[in-house]
Amino acid sequence: MTSNVKESFGQGSPPAPAALAAKVRTLAPSMTRSMQRVAEAVAGDPAGCSALTVTGLAELTGTSEATVVRTARLLGYPGYRDLRLALAGLAAQQESGQSPAVTADIAVDDSLAEVVAKLAHDEQQTLADTAAGLDTAQLAACVDALAGARRIDIYGIGASGLVAQDLAQKLLRIGLIAHAHADPHLAVTNAVQLRPRDVAIAITHSGTTGDVIEPLRTAFERGATTIAVTGRPDGAVSQYADHLLTTSTARESELRPAAMSSRTSQLLVVDCLFVGVAQRTYETAAPALSASYEALAHRHDPRSGRR
């Protein structure tokens, strides 16, 4: 893992109390089972856990003091004392009614009204979690790289491929040279041509998609700036990422697999990247965007005779 990625989680500023629950949801699947017990305990009962010593929390979760400290550090806190302070803050927010309740999974016999309500809640929670956990320093570095890029390649498969196409189309409309690659062979053959000042972006929720990791590794070896957008910051993709943007997801269920829920958080990150780049390159981006609107205007006007 590169130094930039290491700095993006666990070694930067401790997350605010509001970001703690998001961090737990994002990182828990990649933790050991004993660390998961600690993470689930602090997220489930922040008030109770904030009153415990490191020894008390270890006893409560059936783990060791070392495991508690490692979990705190993985969540972004220098030590357990800092985690306790965040837990106290989170407990205060929940007591004031600011934190939403967790909805149940969608059942096969739910009414459509219930489905709409549950999906809307999960989408809102996913966006809030992603925003709370997004490292703005890493985001700014990615914007800098994209704004000055000679060429941008974006890799994604399946649902992540749709997000890759969305980002490429946005960047093209503000005058940047960007291409999304869903074909793994084409992705690698294009990555071979990348050089310094080029940017390669891998979008993979699992962080382990080989068809996305391979072209990113190739781009990394060619000296291009590499970015990973992933829900698993410890996944294999991070080994070849100069910058890491972590996403969150709604809870996976039988009727709503990870591929569906992860797309929401990925699209938020993509929009943040696009807006940041458009701001940074406004003098050229604004005329390019206006030109693209003008070029397509006749296609939205039924009275136009142009073809």
Side-chain angles (χ1 to χ4, degrees):
M1 188 182 298
T2 65
S3 60
N4 284 340
V5 173
K6 289 179 180 177
E7 292 172 0
S8 70
F9 58 97
Q11 296 184 12
S13 300
L20 175 59
K23 275 273 190 179
V24 170
R25 278 187 285 269
T26 298
L27 296 178
S30 61
M31 293 178 178
T32 63
R33 184 60 195 127
S34 58
M35 293 176 74
Q36 283 181 352
R37 289 202 296 272
V38 175
E40 290 167 358
V42 299
D45 184 16
C49 290
S50 68
L52 297 175
T53 63
V54 64
T55 303
L57 184 55
E59 292 177 352
L60 175 68
T61 56
T63 61
S64 65
E65 293 181 12
T67 298
V68 172
V69 173
R70 283 198 300 271
T71 305
R73 289 176 177 168
L74 182 60
L75 291 174
Y77 302 93
Y80 180 62
R81 179 180 298 179
D82 304 275
L83 175 60
R84 284 184 71 181
L85 291 174
L87 290 175
L90 179 59
Q93 289 180 354
Q94 290 181 338
E95 192 172 326
S96 67
Q98 294 178 14
S99 297
V102 177
T103 59
D105 288 333
I106 296 173
V108 68
D109 57 350
D110 278 348
S111 68
L112 283 178
E114 290 172 321
V115 170
V116 170
K118 289 182 178 181
L119 284 179
H121 177 276
D122 283 347
E123 296 283 353
Q124 292 170 2
Q125 188 66 60
T126 297
L127 292 173
D129 286 354
T130 299
L134 196 56
D135 188 322
T136 53
Q138 287 287 302
L139 181 64
C142 295
V143 168
D144 286 341
L146 289 169
R150 179 186 71 96
R151 167 180 160 184
I152 302 164
D153 276 16
I154 311 168
Y155 317 123
I157 301 295
S160 295
L162 298 176
V163 178
Q165 291 178 30
D166 181 72
L167 177 57
Q169 291 172 11
K170 284 182 167 72
L171 295 176
L172 281 169
R173 295 194 70 174
I174 59 173
L176 298 183
I177 300 174
H179 302 283
H181 301 288
D183 183 299
H185 293 176
L186 190 59
V188 173
T189 56
N190 275 270
V192 170
Q193 307 302 323
L194 297 181
R195 299 291 182 269
R197 278 202 63 224
D198 295 334
V199 176
I201 303 174
I203 302 177
T204 164
H205 170 63
S206 68
T208 59
T209 307
D211 287 341
V212 170
I213 294 174
E214 185 179 2
L216 191 74
R217 176 179 60 80
T218 301
F220 181 80
E221 292 171 348
R222 292 302 188 277
T225 297
T226 53
I227 299 169
V229 179
T230 180
R232 301 289 181 266
D234 63 338
V237 71
S238 65
Q239 298 177 51
Y240 309 108
D242 294 313
H243 305 291
L244 189 70
L245 299 176
T246 304
T247 60
S248 179
T249 66
R251 292 180 304 132
E252 184 174 0
S253 66
E254 182 181 8
L255 296 179
R256 193 169 189 251
M260 291 174 62
S261 57
S262 65
R263 191 169 64 239
T264 300
S265 54
Q266 290 173 346
L267 286 170
L268 174 60
V269 172
V270 160
D271 280 351
C272 290
L273 284 172
F274 169 72
V275 172
V277 173
Q279 288 177 319
R280 193 69 51 85
T281 62
Y282 185 77
E283 290 187 2
T284 56
L289 193 58
S290 296
S292 69
Y293 277 127
E294 185 177 348
L296 296 173
H298 70 280
R299 295 183 176 275
H300 301 285
D301 185 354
R303 295 168 298 178
S304 174
R306 294 177 60 185
R307 295 289 185 269

